[in-house]
Amino acid sequence: PQNVAHVGCAGFNKILGPLRPILRAVTFAWLGGLWLFGRPKQQARRRLFFHTLFTIALAVLPEVLRLSTNYSLFAGSPSPPPPSSSLLEVTVDGMGCEACEVAVRSVFEQVSGVVAVEDVDFKTGKVNVRVKTEEWGSIEENELAHALDLEGYDLTSLHTRSNQK
């Protein structure tokens, strides 16, 4: 396996994900209280400042991770799909967070014949993959399932949504 240490969210996001806004509010309220009422001394203030930055970075990391994979600041306008391509809707079981989305996206991007991974959604388990129609016959569902299995995910279904010719 390429990614032996990958555990993703280990399923924690399925439990804690719905609580994320509440946990963030409590965390920011706590930090605000420390700043407003704690009256830290100069050295403690510097430490609190770095702890606050670290906490904010961790709190928004999932959104930054998702944005960084969907949009690139340096990419030009998206190119149109090749004349002979198909859009596949794949259902993947086992994704629980934004890090899982990135891992699944990289698995599909490494398969030959894949033109683009257009959408990955861990909440629904859906992945939209554009493949070259002439090479689709050479892409085996078993190959995709095996590649996903190596990363700890299961391919549960694969459907052709539309053809672009």
Side-chain angles (χ1 to χ4, degrees):
Q2 295 174 336
N3 198 356
V4 176
H6 171 72
V7 289
C9 62
F12 290 120
N13 195 52
K14 291 181 180 183
I15 297 167
L16 297 176
L19 300 175
R20 185 179 288 161
I22 296 167
L23 294 173
R24 283 182 180 168
V26 168
T27 301
F28 291 139
W30 181 267
L31 282 171
L34 288 174
W35 279 102
L36 291 174
F37 305 115
R39 301 178 197 254
K41 296 181 181 173
Q42 184 64 28
Q43 187 176 11
R45 187 177 300 138
R46 189 175 307 130
R47 189 172 60 223
L48 181 59
F49 175 75
F50 287 113
H51 287 208
T52 302
L53 285 180
F54 185 69
T55 301
I56 291 171
L58 287 178
V60 299
L61 186 62
E63 288 77 13
V64 170
L65 184 61
R66 177 174 268 178
L67 285 173
S68 71
T69 58
N70 289 340
Y71 307 103
S72 175
L73 295 175
F74 304 107
S77 61
S79 59
S84 60
S85 66
S86 296
L87 185 63
L88 303 177
E89 184 177 276
V90 182
T91 305
V92 177
D93 192 28
M95 291 191 291
C97 66
E98 288 83 356
C100 295
E101 286 181 354
V102 173
V104 167
R105 180 181 295 272
S106 73
V107 167
F108 281 103
E109 287 173 344
Q110 294 173 10
V111 175
S112 69
V114 171
V115 176
V117 181
E118 295 184 358
D119 186 38
V120 181
D121 186 1
F122 77 90
K123 293 176 184 173
T124 62
K126 301 289 185 201
V127 182
N128 292 326
V129 183
R130 186 157 300 278
V131 296
K132 294 180 186 175
T133 304
E134 62 271 3
E135 293 185 24
W136 172 236
S138 65
I139 298 174
E140 295 289 329
E141 186 174 342
N142 293 338
E143 177 186 349
L144 290 174
H146 180 68
L148 286 167
D149 188 50
L150 289 175
E151 294 294 322
Y153 305 101
D154 296 318
L155 184 133
T156 56
S157 70
L158 187 140
H159 303 286
T160 302
R161 275 191 35 196
S162 64
N163 287 328
Q164 182 85 18
K165 293 189 178 184

Coordinates of all heavy atoms in Angstrom, one line a residue, residues 74-158:
F74 N -3.9 29.4 -9.0 CA -3.0 29.6 -10.2 C -3.6 28.9 -11.4 O -3.0 29.0 -12.5 CB -1.6 29.1 -9.9 CG -1.0 29.8 -8.7 CD1 -0.9 29.1 -7.5 CD2 -0.7 31.1 -8.7 CE1 -0.4 29.7 -6.4 CE2 -0.2 31.8 -7.6 CZ 0.0 31.0 -6.4
A75 N -4.6 28.2 -11.3 CA -5.2 27.6 -12.5 C -6.0 28.5 -13.4 O -6.6 29.5 -12.9 CB -6.1 26.4 -12.0
G76 N -5.9 28.3 -14.6 CA -6.7 29.1 -15.6 C -8.1 28.6 -15.6 O -8.6 27.9 -14.7
S77 N -8.8 29.0 -16.6 CA -10.2 28.6 -16.7 C -10.2 27.1 -17.0 O -9.4 26.6 -17.7 CB -11.0 29.4 -17.7 OG -10.4 29.1 -19.0
P78 N -11.2 26.4 -16.5 CA -11.3 25.0 -16.7 C -11.5 24.7 -18.2 O -12.2 25.3 -18.9 CB -12.5 24.5 -15.9 CG -13.3 25.7 -15.6 CD -12.4 26.9 -15.7
S79 N -10.8 23.6 -18.7 CA -10.9 23.3 -20.1 C -12.2 22.5 -20.2 O -12.6 21.8 -19.3 CB -9.7 22.5 -20.5 OG -9.6 21.3 -19.8
P80 N -12.8 22.5 -21.4 CA -14.0 21.7 -21.7 C -13.6 20.2 -21.7 O -12.4 19.9 -22.0 CB -14.4 22.2 -23.0 CG -13.2 22.8 -23.7 CD -12.4 23.3 -22.6
P81 N -14.5 19.4 -21.5 CA -14.2 17.9 -21.5 C -13.8 17.5 -22.9 O -14.3 18.1 -23.9 CB -15.5 17.3 -21.0 CG -16.6 18.3 -21.2 CD -15.9 19.6 -21.1
P82 N -13.0 16.5 -23.0 CA -12.7 16.0 -24.3 C -13.9 15.6 -25.1 O -15.0 15.3 -24.5 CB -11.8 14.7 -24.1 CG -11.4 14.8 -22.6 CD -12.4 15.7 -22.0
P83 N -13.8 15.6 -26.4 CA -15.0 15.3 -27.3 C -15.6 13.9 -27.0 O -16.8 13.8 -27.1 CB -14.5 15.3 -28.7 CG -13.1 15.8 -28.6 CD -12.7 15.9 -27.2
S84 N -14.8 13.0 -26.7 CA -15.4 11.6 -26.4 C -15.1 11.2 -24.9 O -14.1 10.6 -24.7 CB -14.9 10.6 -27.4 OG -13.5 10.5 -27.2
S85 N -15.9 11.7 -24.0 CA -15.7 11.3 -22.6 C -17.0 11.0 -22.0 O -18.1 11.4 -22.5 CB -15.0 12.5 -21.9 OG -15.8 13.6 -21.8
S86 N -17.0 10.3 -20.9 CA -18.2 9.9 -20.1 C -18.0 10.4 -18.7 O -16.9 10.4 -18.2 CB -18.4 8.4 -20.2 OG -18.6 8.0 -21.4
L87 N -19.1 10.7 -18.1 CA -19.1 11.1 -16.7 C -19.6 9.9 -15.9 O -20.8 9.5 -16.1 CB -20.0 12.4 -16.5 CG -20.0 12.9 -15.1 CD1 -18.6 13.4 -14.7 CD2 -21.0 14.1 -14.9
L88 N -18.8 9.4 -15.0 CA -19.2 8.3 -14.2 C -19.5 8.8 -12.8 O -18.9 9.7 -12.3 CB -18.1 7.3 -14.0 CG -17.5 6.7 -15.3 CD1 -16.3 5.8 -15.0 CD2 -18.6 5.9 -16.1
E89 N -20.6 8.3 -12.2 CA -20.9 8.5 -10.8 C -20.6 7.3 -10.0 O -21.1 6.2 -10.2 CB -22.4 8.9 -10.6 CG -22.7 9.3 -9.2 CD -24.1 9.7 -9.0 OE1 -24.4 10.9 -9.2 OE2 -24.9 8.8 -8.6
V90 N -19.6 7.4 -9.2 CA -19.1 6.3 -8.4 C -19.5 6.6 -6.9 O -19.4 7.7 -6.4 CB -17.6 6.2 -8.5 CG1 -17.0 5.1 -7.7 CG2 -17.1 6.1 -9.9
T91 N -20.0 5.5 -6.3 CA -20.3 5.6 -4.8 C -19.2 4.9 -4.1 O -18.9 3.8 -4.3 CB -21.7 5.0 -4.5 OG1 -22.6 5.6 -5.4 CG2 -22.0 5.2 -3.1
V92 N -18.6 5.7 -3.1 CA -17.5 5.2 -2.3 C -17.9 5.2 -0.9 O -18.4 6.2 -0.4 CB -16.2 6.0 -2.5 CG1 -15.1 5.5 -1.7 CG2 -15.8 6.0 -4.0
D93 N -17.8 4.0 -0.2 CA -18.1 3.9 1.2 C -16.8 4.1 2.0 O -15.8 3.6 1.7 CB -18.8 2.6 1.5 CG -19.4 2.5 2.8 OD1 -19.8 3.6 3.4 OD2 -19.5 1.4 3.4
G94 N -17.0 4.8 3.2 CA -15.8 4.9 4.1 C -15.3 6.3 4.2 O -14.4 6.5 5.0
M95 N -15.7 7.2 3.4 CA -15.3 8.6 3.5 C -16.0 9.3 4.7 O -17.2 9.2 4.8 CB -15.5 9.4 2.2 CG -14.7 9.0 1.1 SD -14.8 10.2 -0.3 CE -16.5 9.9 -0.9
G96 N -15.2 9.9 5.5 CA -15.8 10.6 6.7 C -15.5 12.0 6.9 O -16.0 12.7 7.8
C97 N -14.5 12.5 6.0 CA -14.1 13.9 6.2 C -13.5 14.5 5.0 O -13.3 13.8 4.0 CB -13.1 14.0 7.4 SG -11.5 13.1 7.1
E98 N -13.0 15.7 5.0 CA -12.4 16.3 3.9 C -11.1 15.7 3.5 O -10.7 15.6 2.3 CB -12.2 17.8 4.2 CG -13.4 18.7 4.2 CD -14.2 18.6 5.6 OE1 -13.8 17.9 6.5 OE2 -15.2 19.3 5.7
A99 N -10.4 15.2 4.5 CA -9.1 14.4 4.2 C -9.4 13.2 3.4 O -8.6 12.8 2.5 CB -8.4 14.1 5.5
C100 N -10.5 12.5 3.7 CA -10.9 11.3 2.9 C -11.2 11.7 1.5 O -10.9 11.0 0.6 CB -12.1 10.7 3.6 SG -11.8 10.0 5.2
E101 N -11.8 12.9 1.3 CA -12.1 13.4 -0.1 C -10.8 13.5 -0.9 O -10.7 13.1 -2.0 CB -12.8 14.7 -0.1 CG -14.2 14.7 0.4 CD -14.9 16.1 0.3 OE1 -14.2 17.1 0.1 OE2 -16.1 16.1 0.5
V102 N -9.8 14.1 -0.2 CA -8.5 14.3 -0.9 C -7.9 12.9 -1.2 O -7.3 12.7 -2.3 CB -7.6 15.1 0.0 CG1 -6.2 15.2 -0.6 CG2 -8.1 16.5 0.2
A103 N -7.9 12.0 -0.3 CA -7.3 10.7 -0.6 C -8.0 9.9 -1.7 O -7.4 9.4 -2.6 CB -7.4 9.8 0.7
V104 N -9.4 10.0 -1.7 CA -10.1 9.3 -2.8 C -9.9 10.0 -4.1 O -9.7 9.4 -5.2 CB -11.6 9.3 -2.4 CG1 -12.5 8.9 -3.7 CG2 -11.9 8.4 -1.3
R105 N -9.8 11.4 -4.1 CA -9.5 12.1 -5.4 C -8.2 11.7 -5.9 O -8.0 11.4 -7.1 CB -9.5 13.6 -5.1 CG -9.2 14.5 -6.3 CD -9.2 15.9 -6.0 NE -10.5 16.4 -5.5 CZ -11.4 16.9 -6.4 NH1 -11.2 16.9 -7.7 NH2 -12.6 17.3 -5.9
S106 N -7.2 11.5 -5.1 CA -5.8 11.1 -5.6 C -5.8 9.7 -6.1 O -5.1 9.4 -7.0 CB -4.8 11.3 -4.5 OG -4.9 10.3 -3.5
V107 N -6.6 8.8 -5.5 CA -6.7 7.5 -6.1 C -7.2 7.5 -7.5 O -6.7 6.9 -8.4 CB -7.6 6.6 -5.2 CG1 -8.0 5.3 -5.9 CG2 -6.9 6.3 -3.8
F108 N -8.3 8.2 -7.7 CA -8.9 8.3 -9.1 C -8.0 9.0 -10.0 O -7.9 8.6 -11.2 CB -10.3 9.0 -9.0 CG -11.4 8.1 -8.5 CD1 -11.9 8.2 -7.3 CD2 -11.9 7.1 -9.4 CE1 -12.9 7.3 -6.8 CE2 -12.9 6.2 -8.9 CZ -13.4 6.3 -7.7
E109 N -7.3 10.0 -9.6 CA -6.4 10.8 -10.5 C -5.2 9.9 -11.0 O -4.6 10.2 -12.0 CB -5.9 12.0 -9.8 CG -7.0 13.1 -9.7 CD -6.5 14.3 -8.9 OE1 -5.5 14.2 -8.1 OE2 -7.2 15.3 -9.0
Q110 N -4.9 8.9 -10.3 CA -3.8 8.0 -10.7 C -4.2 6.9 -11.6 O -3.3 6.2 -12.1 CB -3.2 7.4 -9.4 CG -2.5 8.4 -8.5 CD -2.0 7.8 -7.2 OE1 -2.0 6.6 -7.0 NE2 -1.6 8.7 -6.3
V111 N -5.5 6.7 -11.9 CA -5.9 5.7 -12.8 C -5.9 6.2 -14.2 O -6.3 7.3 -14.5 CB -7.4 5.3 -12.5 CG1 -7.9 4.3 -13.5 CG2 -7.4 4.7 -11.1
S112 N -5.2 5.4 -15.1 CA -5.1 5.9 -16.5 C -6.5 5.9 -17.2 O -7.3 5.0 -16.8 CB -4.2 5.0 -17.3 OG -4.7 3.7 -17.5
G113 N -6.7 6.9 -18.0 CA -8.0 7.0 -18.7 C -8.9 8.0 -17.9 O -9.9 8.4 -18.5
V114 N -8.6 8.4 -16.7 CA -9.3 9.4 -16.0 C -8.9 10.8 -16.5 O -7.7 11.1 -16.4 CB -9.2 9.2 -14.5 CG1 -9.8 10.4 -13.8 CG2 -9.8 7.9 -14.0
V115 N -9.9 11.5 -17.0 CA -9.6 12.9 -17.5 C -9.6 13.9 -16.3 O -8.7 14.7 -16.2 CB -10.6 13.3 -18.6 CG1 -10.4 14.7 -19.0 CG2 -10.6 12.3 -19.7
A116 N -10.6 13.8 -15.5 CA -10.8 14.7 -14.4 C -11.7 14.1 -13.3 O -12.6 13.3 -13.6 CB -11.4 16.0 -14.8
V117 N -11.4 14.4 -12.1 CA -12.2 14.1 -10.9 C -13.0 15.4 -10.7 O -12.4 16.3 -10.1 CB -11.4 13.6 -9.7 CG1 -12.4 13.3 -8.6 CG2 -10.5 12.4 -10.1
E118 N -14.3 15.4 -11.1 CA -15.0 16.7 -11.0 C -15.6 17.0 -9.7 O -15.7 18.2 -9.3 CB -16.1 16.6 -12.1 CG -15.5 16.6 -13.5 CD -16.6 16.7 -14.6 OE1 -17.8 16.7 -14.3 OE2 -16.2 16.7 -15.8
D119 N -16.0 16.0 -8.9 CA -16.6 16.3 -7.6 C -16.4 15.1 -6.7 O -16.6 13.9 -7.1 CB -18.1 16.6 -7.8 CG -18.7 17.0 -6.5 OD1 -18.1 17.7 -5.7 OD2 -19.9 16.6 -6.3
V120 N -16.0 15.3 -5.5 CA -16.0 14.3 -4.4 C -16.7 14.9 -3.2 O -16.4 16.0 -2.8 CB -14.5 14.0 -4.0 CG1 -14.5 12.9 -3.0 CG2 -13.7 13.6 -5.3
D121 N -17.7 14.1 -2.7 CA -18.4 14.6 -1.5 C -18.5 13.5 -0.5 O -19.1 12.4 -0.7 CB -19.9 14.9 -2.0 CG -20.7 15.6 -0.9 OD1 -20.1 15.8 0.3 OD2 -21.8 15.9 -1.1
F122 N -17.8 13.7 0.6 CA -17.7 12.7 1.7 C -19.1 12.5 2.3 O -19.3 11.4 2.8 CB -16.6 13.0 2.7 CG -17.0 14.1 3.7 CD1 -17.6 13.7 4.9 CD2 -16.7 15.4 3.5 CE1 -18.0 14.7 5.8 CE2 -17.0 16.4 4.4 CZ -17.7 16.0 5.6
K123 N -19.9 13.5 2.3 CA -21.2 13.3 3.0 C -22.1 12.3 2.3 O -22.8 11.5 2.9 CB -21.9 14.7 3.1 CG -21.2 15.6 4.1 CD -21.8 17.0 4.1 CE -21.0 18.0 5.0 NZ -21.5 19.3 4.9
T124 N -22.1 12.4 1.0 CA -23.0 11.5 0.2 C -22.2 10.3 -0.3 O -22.8 9.3 -0.7 CB -23.6 12.2 -1.0 OG1 -22.5 12.6 -1.9 CG2 -24.4 13.4 -0.6
G125 N -20.9 10.3 -0.3 CA -20.1 9.2 -0.8 C -20.0 9.2 -2.3 O -19.5 8.3 -2.9
K126 N -20.5 10.3 -3.0 CA -20.5 10.3 -4.4 C -19.2 11.0 -5.0 O -18.7 11.9 -4.4 CB -21.7 11.1 -5.0 CG -23.0 10.6 -4.5 CD -23.4 9.3 -5.2 CE -24.8 8.9 -4.8 NZ -25.0 7.5 -5.0
V127 N -18.7 10.4 -6.1 CA -17.5 10.9 -6.8 C -17.9 10.9 -8.3 O -18.4 9.9 -8.8 CB -16.3 10.0 -6.6 CG1 -15.1 10.5 -7.3 CG2 -16.0 9.7 -5.1
N128 N -17.8 12.1 -8.9 CA -18.0 12.2 -10.3 C -16.7 12.3 -11.0 O -15.8 13.1 -10.7 CB -18.8 13.5 -10.6 CG -20.2 13.4 -10.1 OD1 -20.8 12.4 -10.1 ND2 -20.8 14.5 -9.7
V129 N -16.5 11.3 -11.9 CA -15.2 11.1 -12.6 C -15.4 11.2 -14.1 O -16.3 10.5 -14.6 CB -14.6 9.7 -12.2 CG1 -13.2 9.6 -12.9 CG2 -14.5 9.6 -10.7
R130 N -14.7 12.0 -14.8 CA -14.8 12.0 -16.2 C -13.6 11.2 -16.8 O -12.5 11.3 -16.4 CB -14.6 13.5 -16.8 CG -14.9 13.5 -18.2 CD -15.3 14.9 -18.7 NE -16.5 15.4 -18.2 CZ -17.8 15.1 -18.6 NH1 -17.9 14.2 -19.5 NH2 -18.8 15.7 -18.0
V131 N -14.1 10.2 -17.7 CA -13.1 9.3 -18.3 C -13.2 9.4 -19.8 O -14.2 9.8 -20.4 CB -13.4 7.8 -17.8 CG1 -13.1 7.7 -16.3 CG2 -14.7 7.4 -18.2
K132 N -12.1 9.0 -20.4 CA -12.1 9.0 -21.9 C -12.9 7.8 -22.3 O -12.7 6.7 -21.9 CB -10.6 8.8 -22.4 CG -9.7 10.0 -22.1 CD -8.4 9.8 -22.7 CE -7.4 10.9 -22.3 NZ -6.0 10.6 -22.7
T133 N -13.8 8.0 -23.2 CA -14.7 6.9 -23.7 C -13.9 5.8 -24.3 O -14.2 4.6 -24.1 CB -15.8 7.5 -24.6 OG1 -16.5 8.5 -23.9 CG2 -16.8 6.4 -25.0
E134 N -13.0 6.2 -25.2 CA -12.3 5.1 -25.9 C -11.4 4.3 -25.0 O -11.1 3.1 -25.3 CB -11.4 5.7 -27.1 CG -10.3 6.7 -26.6 CD -10.8 8.1 -26.5 OE1 -12.0 8.4 -26.8 OE2 -10.0 9.0 -26.2
E135 N -11.0 4.8 -23.8 CA -10.2 4.1 -22.9 C -11.1 3.5 -21.8 O -10.5 2.7 -20.9 CB -9.1 4.9 -22.3 CG -8.1 5.4 -23.3 CD -6.9 6.1 -22.6 OE1 -6.7 5.9 -21.4 OE2 -6.3 6.9 -23.3
W136 N -12.3 3.8 -21.7 CA -13.2 3.3 -20.6 C -13.2 1.8 -20.6 O -13.2 1.1 -19.6 CB -14.6 3.9 -20.7 CG -15.5 3.2 -19.7 CD1 -16.7 2.6 -20.0 CD2 -15.4 3.1 -18.3 NE1 -17.3 2.2 -18.9 CE2 -16.5 2.5 -17.8 CE3 -14.4 3.5 -17.4 CZ2 -16.7 2.2 -16.5 CZ3 -14.6 3.3 -16.1 CH2 -15.7 2.6 -15.6
G137 N -13.2 1.1 -21.8 CA -13.2 -0.3 -21.8 C -11.9 -0.9 -21.1 O -12.0 -2.0 -20.6
S138 N -10.8 -0.2 -21.1 CA -9.6 -0.7 -20.4 C -9.6 -0.4 -18.9 O -8.8 -1.0 -18.2 CB -8.4 -0.1 -21.1 OG -8.3 1.3 -20.9
I139 N -10.5 0.5 -18.5 CA -10.5 0.8 -17.0 C -11.5 -0.3 -16.4 O -12.6 -0.3 -16.7 CB -11.0 2.2 -16.7 CG1 -10.1 3.2 -17.3 CG2 -11.2 2.4 -15.2 CD1 -10.6 4.6 -17.2
E140 N -10.9 -1.1 -15.5 CA -11.7 -2.1 -14.9 C -12.3 -1.6 -13.6 O -11.6 -1.0 -12.8 CB -10.8 -3.4 -14.7 CG -10.4 -4.0 -16.0 CD -11.5 -4.7 -16.7 OE1 -12.4 -5.2 -16.0 OE2 -11.4 -4.8 -17.9
E141 N -13.5 -2.0 -13.3 CA -14.1 -1.7 -12.1 C -13.3 -2.3 -10.9 O -13.2 -1.8 -9.9 CB -15.6 -2.1 -12.0 CG -16.3 -1.7 -10.8 CD -17.8 -2.0 -10.9 OE1 -18.3 -2.3 -12.0 OE2 -18.4 -2.0 -9.8
N142 N -12.8 -3.5 -11.2 CA -12.0 -4.2 -10.2 C -10.7 -3.5 -9.9 O -10.3 -3.5 -8.7 CB -11.7 -5.7 -10.7 CG -12.9 -6.5 -10.7 OD1 -13.9 -6.3 -10.1 ND2 -12.8 -7.6 -11.6
E143 N -10.2 -2.9 -10.9 CA -8.9 -2.1 -10.7 C -9.2 -0.9 -9.8 O -8.5 -0.6 -8.8 CB -8.4 -1.6 -12.0 CG -7.2 -0.7 -11.9 CD -6.7 -0.1 -13.3 OE1 -7.3 -0.6 -14.3 OE2 -5.9 0.8 -13.2
L144 N -10.3 -0.2 -10.0 CA -10.7 0.9 -9.2 C -11.0 0.5 -7.8 O -10.6 1.1 -6.8 CB -11.9 1.6 -9.8 CG -11.7 2.4 -11.0 CD1 -13.1 2.9 -11.5 CD2 -10.8 3.6 -10.8
A145 N -11.8 -0.6 -7.7 CA -12.1 -1.1 -6.3 C -10.9 -1.5 -5.6 O -10.8 -1.3 -4.3 CB -13.1 -2.3 -6.5
H146 N -9.9 -2.1 -6.2 CA -8.7 -2.6 -5.6 C -7.9 -1.3 -5.1 O -7.3 -1.3 -4.0 CB -7.8 -3.4 -6.5 CG -6.6 -3.9 -5.9 ND1 -6.5 -4.8 -4.8 CD2 -5.3 -3.6 -6.1 CE1 -5.3 -5.0 -4.5 NE2 -4.5 -4.3 -5.3
A147 N -7.8 -0.3 -6.0 CA -7.0 0.9 -5.6 C -7.7 1.6 -4.4 O -7.0 2.0 -3.5 CB -6.9 1.8 -6.8
L148 N -9.0 1.6 -4.4 CA -9.7 2.2 -3.3 C -9.5 1.4 -2.0 O -9.3 1.9 -0.9 CB -11.2 2.4 -3.6 CG -11.5 3.6 -4.5 CD1 -12.9 3.5 -5.0 CD2 -11.2 4.9 -3.9
D149 N -9.6 0.1 -2.2 CA -9.4 -0.8 -1.0 C -8.1 -0.7 -0.4 O -7.9 -0.7 0.9 CB -9.6 -2.3 -1.5 CG -9.7 -3.2 -0.3 OD1 -10.5 -3.0 0.6 OD2 -9.0 -4.2 -0.3
L150 N -7.0 -0.4 -1.2 CA -5.7 -0.2 -0.6 C -5.6 1.0 0.3 O -4.8 1.1 1.2 CB -4.6 -0.1 -1.7 CG -4.3 -1.3 -2.5 CD1 -3.3 -1.0 -3.6 CD2 -3.7 -2.4 -1.6
E151 N -6.5 2.0 0.0 CA -6.5 3.2 0.8 C -7.6 3.1 2.0 O -7.8 4.1 2.7 CB -6.8 4.4 -0.1 CG -5.7 4.7 -1.0 CD -4.5 5.2 -0.4 OE1 -4.5 5.9 0.6 OE2 -3.4 4.8 -0.9
G152 N -8.3 2.0 2.0 CA -9.3 1.8 3.1 C -10.7 2.2 2.8 O -11.5 2.5 3.7
Y153 N -11.0 2.3 1.5 CA -12.4 2.7 1.0 C -13.0 1.6 0.2 O -12.3 0.7 -0.3 CB -12.4 4.0 0.2 CG -11.7 5.1 1.0 CD1 -10.4 5.5 0.7 CD2 -12.4 5.8 2.0 CE1 -9.7 6.5 1.4 CE2 -11.7 6.8 2.7 CZ -10.4 7.1 2.4 OH -9.8 8.2 3.1
D154 N -14.3 1.5 0.1 CA -15.0 0.5 -0.7 C -15.8 1.2 -1.8 O -16.5 2.1 -1.6 CB -16.0 -0.3 0.2 CG -15.3 -1.0 1.3 OD1 -14.2 -1.6 1.0 OD2 -15.8 -1.0 2.4
L155 N -15.6 0.6 -3.0 CA -16.4 1.0 -4.2 C -17.7 0.3 -4.1 O -17.7 -1.0 -4.2 CB -15.7 0.8 -5.5 CG -16.4 1.2 -6.7 CD1 -15.4 2.0 -7.6 CD2 -17.0 0.1 -7.5
T156 N -18.8 1.0 -3.9 CA -20.1 0.3 -3.8 C -20.9 0.3 -5.1 O -21.7 -0.6 -5.3 CB -20.9 0.9 -2.7 OG1 -21.1 2.3 -2.9 CG2 -20.3 0.6 -1.3
S157 N -20.8 1.3 -5.9 CA -21.5 1.3 -7.2 C -20.8 2.2 -8.2 O -20.1 3.2 -7.8 CB -23.0 1.7 -7.1 OG -23.0 3.1 -6.7
L158 N -21.0 2.0 -9.5 CA -20.4 2.7 -10.6 C -21.5 2.8 -11.7 O -21.9 1.8 -12.2 CB -19.2 2.0 -11.0 CG -18.3 2.8 -12.0 CD1 -16.9 2.6 -11.7 CD2 -18.6 2.3 -13.4

